[in-house]
Amino acid sequence: MKYVERQVKPAKKKWKRVITRVLIILLIILLLPPIIVSIPFVQTTIVGYISDKFSEQLQTTIKIESVNISFFNRVRLNGIYIEDLNRDTLMFVSRLDAA
């Protein structure tokens, strides 16, 4: 019967790998959301969801066609439409820029 010798990896190498993997996962968790939120389609989807919730709570129509947020310097909202409680146009703005 042959005995196969197993090489035991030192504990230090094992801990290095564990710490490296944890750091990589933390970096992904911290960096991925800002990258995803910087995509205009995602921004518009989020703002559409929020405006729908406001519409339900206020029992009126609030719509925003598109949003483009450039972090640290600019916000652009396109097609803002808000009705009052009598279903009359309270505000319509084709484009709103804020810096």
Side-chain angles (χ1 to χ4, degrees):
M1 198 176 215
K2 289 185 178 180
Y3 291 100
V4 178
E5 291 184 31
R6 279 182 42 189
Q7 292 180 352
V8 179
K9 294 182 179 180
K12 285 184 180 180
K13 285 186 180 181
K14 193 173 188 178
W15 279 107
K16 270 187 176 180
R17 266 193 292 142
V18 169
I19 290 172
T20 303
R21 288 180 183 170
V22 168
L23 289 175
I24 289 172
I25 291 170
L26 283 174
L27 281 174
I28 290 171
I29 289 172
L30 292 174
L31 295 178
L32 198 57
I35 292 171
I36 291 173
V37 173
S38 68
I39 300 170
F41 172 77
V42 175
Q43 295 171 358
T44 301
T45 304
I46 292 170
V47 169
Y49 176 79
I50 293 170
S51 65
D52 288 345
K53 291 299 176 186
F54 275 128
S55 292
E56 289 175 15
Q57 284 185 341
L58 299 173
Q59 298 176 351
T60 188
T61 303
I62 299 173
K63 292 183 182 178
I64 300 173
E65 287 179 12
S66 66
V67 178
N68 189 346
I69 301 171
S70 297
F71 289 104
F72 305 115
N73 62 357
R74 184 178 59 94
V75 176
R76 176 175 286 165
L77 302 173
N78 294 318
I80 302 170
Y81 176 74
I82 301 174
E83 289 182 351
D84 63 8
L85 294 176
N86 296 323
R87 302 289 180 221
D88 193 15
T89 302
L90 183 63
M91 179 174 82
F92 176 75
V93 178
S94 61
R95 186 169 105 183
L96 176 67
D97 289 324

